[in-house]
Amino acid sequence: MTDIIVIGGGSNSLVTACYLAKAGLSVSVIEKNGKAGGGVVSVETAPGFIGDTHAMGLMTCLANPALKDNELELETRFGLQWAFTEAPFASIFDDGQGLISYTDLDKTCAEIAKFSAKDVVAYRKVVEEANVLLPLLTRAFYAPPMPDAGFTKLLMSSKEGRILANDMHGSVMEFLNARFENPIVKMHFAKWCSELMTGPDAPGTGLALYLLLGLSHKYRMGTVIGGSQNLSNALVRCLEAHGGTIQFNRTVARTVVTAGRCVGVELDDGEVLRASKAVVANIHPWRLAEMVAEVDSGIASRARATRLSEYGALNQQIALNTKPRWKAGDRYDVATLTECLKNDWEGFTSAFEAFRKGDILLDHLGPLAAAQSNVDPTRAPEGQAALYLYGFVPLEIRGGWSARKQEVADAIWDWYKGFTTNIDDTNIIARLVECPADHHRWSPNMMKGDIMGIAMTDGQLLGARPTPELSGYSIPGIEGLYLAGPFTHPGGTVTLGGRATAIRMYDDFGIPLGRGFSSW
C-alpha cells in the first residue's frame, strides 16, 4: 500500500505528486497513456524532427515558484532546459503589415507607434496597471484561491483592485475598444487573448490582457529544449528521485470510497490499488459522478453544468525540408509565435461567432505558426524545420470531424503557405494532424477537445473553478480525495498549477509548508 495514489500523469497532477514525494510520502501515479505529460508532450514526426502536439511557447509556468524559486529543482537537478526569444508574439496581416510584441516594453511601443501614437500612450498605461496588479495576480495564481467573495473584497480595497474587478466582468473587446483606436493593434492583442479558447467578445475575459501583458514584459516566453515532453520528463525524474513511481498504460475506472473516505482506485482490469492517506484525482468535472459514485448528486450536477471553452484547436506538426521565410520579412523570426491574420476587423470578430455555432469560416482562419526549430535547433536537422501550425476550430464541427478533419487541415495549411515566400506541398517530409476529437481520445480531461479543461471565463475562475464548492481541491462529504488538473484553479495553459493542490494537502496533513515551498 502506498500513501498517495495520483490519477493521471498530466503536468498539474505530476507537480502535486512531486511536492508530496518531496515531503517524504510514498506516491504512485497511474497514467493511461504510454508517456507522462497530458498536454505537455512531444512527438517525432520524422527522424530528427520533434514537435509539441499541444503545449508550446510557455510563459505562465515561469512565474510559478516551482520554477521561479527552484522549489522542484527541475532545471538545476532534473535536466530541464529552456530556449528563449526576445519576442513572444507577432501578428502578420495579409496586406503585409504586422506588429511584434517584444519582452522589452520600448520595442513593443515602437511597433505600436507605426499604427497609432495615441495607442502607445494607452499601451504604456495598461502595462503600468498590469505591473501593479501582477504581484496580486501571481500570488493568487499558484496557491489555493480565496473564496470569490473574499477576493472581491480584497480587490475593492484599492483603486487598482477596483479597476481589475470591473474589467474582470467585461470582455477583452470592451477593454480594447475603450483604450485603443487602431484595428490592427486591437486585433493583435485580441487574438493573443483568444488563445485562452474563449472569444475576445465574451463577457468575463477582461482579466486576460492584464495577466498576459504583466507576464510578457517580465518573463521571456520559453521553449523547452528537445520538446515540451522534456518538462514532463523532468517532473517524472523529480518524482522518482524522491521515491515516487509512475505506472504507464493503466487506466483508473473509478475511485474506491469506504465509509465516506477515499481509500484507493479500481483499474479498468478490475485490480484495486489502496492508498493509506489520500487519492489525488485528475478528473474532469463532467466525469465526477462516473468516477466517484458516492459524490453528492447536487455537487455532481453542478460540476456537470460547468461550461467548456468556446472552441478548440486543430494542430499540425509538419516536418519541412527547408526553413520557412515570411513574405513580410525575416524580422518576424524573432517571435516564438506568429499569427497569420486577414486585415478585416469584421471578419475577425465574426469568426468567433461561427465557432460557437459549430462552423468555421474558411476565408477567415488566422492560424498561429511557430517554426520551433528556429528557437530550438535540436528540433530539426540543420537547414530544415519543425513547424507547429495551429488553428482555432469548433469543438464539434458541423458535418463531424471524421469527415472534415483533412479538409480543415488543408485549408489551414494553404492559408499559412500564402504568408510565406518559399513553402509549398513539395516541402513536406511528414505531417501529423490532430483535431479536437483526437485530443479527447488522448485525454478524457480534454472533454470534446477542450484543451483548457473548462472555459477560462468569469464564474469559472479563482474561487469558483470549477465550482465554488470544489474550488478547495476537495469534494465535500468525501475525505481523502483531492482534485488537480486544468479545470481547477489556476486553470488552463501550462501553469504547473498542481502546486496549489499540494499546499492544501500539506496543510491538511500537518506537514510544515516550509518543507516544500518558498512561499504560500
Side-chain angles (χ1 to χ4, degrees):
M1 182 183 294
T2 187
D3 292 330
I4 307 289
I5 291 174
V6 178
I7 303 173
S11 61
N12 290 293
S13 48
L14 273 179
V15 166
T16 304
C18 287
Y19 279 108
L20 296 174
K22 182 181 176 182
L25 299 172
S26 59
V27 180
S28 179
V29 177
I30 311 299
E31 168 55 41
K32 78 179 252 320
N33 293 313
K35 56 185 175 184
V40 187
V41 290
S42 304
V43 65
E44 188 174 42
T45 52
F49 292 86
I50 302 297
D52 299 326
T53 50
H54 296 285
M56 54 83 63
L58 308 184
M59 185 178 290
T60 50
C61 63
L62 299 178
N64 190 317
L67 290 174
K68 179 174 68 70
D69 298 335
N70 199 33
E71 288 178 349
L72 294 180
E73 302 177 285
L74 298 182
E75 297 172 33
T76 56
R77 185 178 173 191
F78 298 115
L80 177 62
Q81 295 179 293
W82 298 94
F84 297 98
T85 59
E86 60 177 308
F89 189 78
S91 296
I92 299 175
F93 293 86
D94 59 344
D95 60 4
Q97 298 187 86
L99 196 160
I100 301 174
S101 282
Y102 291 90
T103 305
D104 183 274
L105 176 59
D106 290 335
K107 284 187 174 182
T108 303
C109 288
E111 290 286 308
I112 295 172
K114 298 172 185 177
F115 302 98
S116 169
K118 178 184 175 182
D119 286 353
V120 172
V121 175
Y123 186 76
R124 285 191 182 276
K125 186 174 187 300
V126 171
V127 172
E128 182 180 319
E129 292 170 354
N131 288 338
V132 171
L133 293 168
L134 189 63
L136 171 64
L137 291 173
T138 54
R139 186 167 63 249
F141 212 60
Y142 305 109
M146 284 184 175
D148 256 12
F151 186 69
T152 300
K153 184 177 180 181
L154 176 64
L155 290 180
M156 297 306 290
S157 67
S158 69
K159 176 184 176 182
E160 295 82 4
R162 288 191 290 273
I163 293 171
L164 177 59
N166 180 68
D167 289 331
M168 278 178 64
H169 300 297
S171 71
V172 168
M173 288 294 204
E174 290 170 336
F175 185 103
L176 292 170
N177 285 333
R179 292 163 175 82
F180 298 94
E181 64 178 8
N182 185 272
I184 280 185
V185 173
K186 289 192 284 188
M187 277 190 281
H188 172 76
F189 289 112
K191 187 60 162 65
W192 195 359
C193 291
S194 68
E195 298 296 338
L196 294 177
M197 313 313 284
T198 296
D201 56 339
T205 55
L207 178 63
L209 201 58
Y210 279 126
L211 185 61
L212 285 174
L213 295 185
L215 290 172
S216 68
H217 289 298
K218 184 175 177 62
Y219 297 94
R220 294 176 296 167
M221 181 170 279
T223 295
V224 179
I225 292 179
S228 291
Q229 181 71 56
N230 283 339
L231 170 54
S232 300
N233 292 346
L235 287 167
V236 171
R237 286 192 288 271
C238 175
L239 172 69
E240 293 176 340
H242 291 294
T245 62
I246 184 165
Q247 300 180 47
F248 295 108
N249 300 310
R250 308 204 77 188
T251 299
V252 173
R254 66 179 185 93
T255 57
V256 177
V257 176
T258 301
R261 181 174 185 83
C262 187
V263 296
V265 300
E266 182 179 333
L267 305 184
D268 62 355
D269 62 6
E271 183 179 1
V272 174
L273 305 177
R274 300 280 177 174
S276 62
K277 287 188 174 293
V279 171
V280 178
N282 194 343
I283 300 173
H284 193 280
W286 286 19
R287 301 181 65 221
L288 190 61
E290 170 193 343
M291 296 292 290
V292 188
E294 295 78 8
V295 68
D296 175 83
S297 60
I299 292 173
S301 65
R302 288 184 287 275
R304 180 60 180 79
T306 53
R307 303 181 309 279
L308 299 183
S309 297
E310 292 190 333
Y311 44 86
L314 188 144
N315 294 8
Q316 302 184 59
Q317 311 305 315
I318 306 174
L320 297 173
N321 63 12
T322 190
K323 293 182 178 181
R325 300 194 66 177
W326 295 112
K327 285 181 179 177
D330 292 344
R331 78 185 194 92
Y332 292 96
D333 289 344
V334 301
T336 303
L337 310 172
T338 303
E339 304 278 6
C340 304
L341 302 174
K342 192 171 187 176
N343 189 0
D344 175 1
W345 177 251
E346 294 300 323
F348 176 81
T349 56
S350 62
F352 295 101
E353 273 301 321
F355 296 145
R356 296 177 184 122
K357 298 173 183 176
D359 290 328
I360 185 167
L361 304 181
L362 296 181
D363 59 345
H364 281 89
L365 289 172
L368 178 151
Q372 294 185 282
S373 46
N374 286 352
V375 182
D376 171 17
T378 70
R379 301 292 191 100
E382 186 174 355
Q384 300 179 317
L387 176 68
Y388 176 99
L389 184 61
Y390 158 108
F392 296 157
V393 295
L395 291 174
E396 296 177 297
I397 195 167
R398 196 179 303 276
W401 278 116
S402 59
R404 299 197 62 191
K405 173 179 169 179
Q406 197 62 48
E407 171 205 352
V408 175
D410 289 345
I412 291 172
W413 167 241
D414 289 342
W415 185 283
Y416 165 76
K417 288 185 297 183
F419 283 74
T420 70
T421 64
N422 65 329
I423 298 298
D424 61 32
D425 292 355
T426 65
N427 298 114
I428 297 175
I429 296 172
R431 181 183 179 199
L432 172 67
V433 177
E434 293 184 318
C435 68
D438 298 312
H439 302 157
H440 179 89
R441 279 190 288 272
W442 173 254
S443 172
N445 290 326
M446 298 182 192
M447 184 64 64
K448 297 186 179 182
D450 184 356
I451 60 177
M452 293 291 155
I454 58 175
M456 293 278 289
T457 53
D458 188 30
Q460 292 187 173
L461 295 173
L462 301 166
R465 189 170 184 88
T467 65
E469 59 204 333
L470 297 176
S471 65
Y473 308 102
S474 62
I475 300 175
I478 299 179
E479 295 183 13
L481 181 58
Y482 294 86
L483 301 174
F487 27 78
T488 60
H489 174 75
T493 79
V494 182
T495 63
L496 305 185
R499 180 182 189 268
T501 303
I503 289 174
R504 167 70 192 274
M505 295 179 73
Y506 270 51
D507 212 28
D508 286 355
F509 295 168
I511 301 170
L513 293 175
R515 286 181 60 180
F517 309 98
S518 60
S519 60
W520 47 87

